[in-house]
């Protein structure tokens, strides 16, 4: 078996970064949090939040950590997803 095939088998993920970002953006939209408010709350650029909302670009780990610290509903969603694993 080639190294490339082995790597693909070992690192296959059920949930990738873009899926997680789409889910969190959906949660933010349900709580009526727009891109400017999220950028202000998380102390990041509006351009970066715009990329999550509309351009299907995944968020960084730092953005996720800041969201977990700031928003209780994101913290609960992440905690509940960890319980299922």
């Amino acid at each position: 078996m080639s190294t490339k095939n082995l790597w693909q088998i070992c690192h296959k993920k059920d949930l990738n970064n873009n899926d997680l970002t789409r889910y969190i953006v959906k949660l933010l939209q349900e709580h009526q949090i727009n891109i400017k408010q999220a950028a202000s709350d998380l102390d990041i650029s509006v351009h970066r939040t715009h990329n999550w909302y509309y351009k299907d670009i995944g968020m960084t780990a730092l953005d996720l950590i800041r969201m977990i610290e700031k928003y209780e509903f994101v913290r609960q969603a992440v905690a509940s997803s960890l319980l299922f694993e």
Side-chain angles (χ1 to χ4, degrees):
M1 182 176 277
S2 73
T3 306
K4 183 178 179 183
N5 290 340
L6 184 61
W7 185 89
Q8 289 173 342
I9 292 169
C10 293
H11 291 87
K12 186 170 182 157
K13 299 177 184 176
D14 294 332
L15 183 70
N16 65 28
N17 189 21
N18 288 338
D19 295 336
L20 177 65
T21 300
R22 276 188 229 108
Y23 177 68
I24 291 176
V25 165
K26 182 179 163 190
L27 287 174
L28 291 172
Q29 290 171 342
E30 288 174 359
H31 287 84
Q32 287 91 26
I33 297 175
N34 61 19
I35 59 174
K36 289 183 181 180
Q37 182 180 352
S40 175
D41 290 346
L42 303 175
D43 194 28
I44 58 176
S45 70
V46 174
H47 178 70
R48 202 152 93 192
T49 56
H50 181 269
N51 286 342
W52 314 331
Y53 268 73
Y54 302 115
K55 293 189 177 183
D56 200 27
I57 296 174
M59 67 178 62
T60 64
L62 180 60
D63 297 341
L64 178 60
I65 290 170
R66 287 180 176 174
M67 278 196 205
I68 290 171
E69 290 175 351
K70 181 66 180 176
Y71 301 120
E72 180 65 30
F73 59 91
V74 174
R75 186 177 314 122
Q76 290 173 352
V78 170
S80 67
S81 70
L82 292 175
L83 291 175
F84 290 118
E85 291 183 0

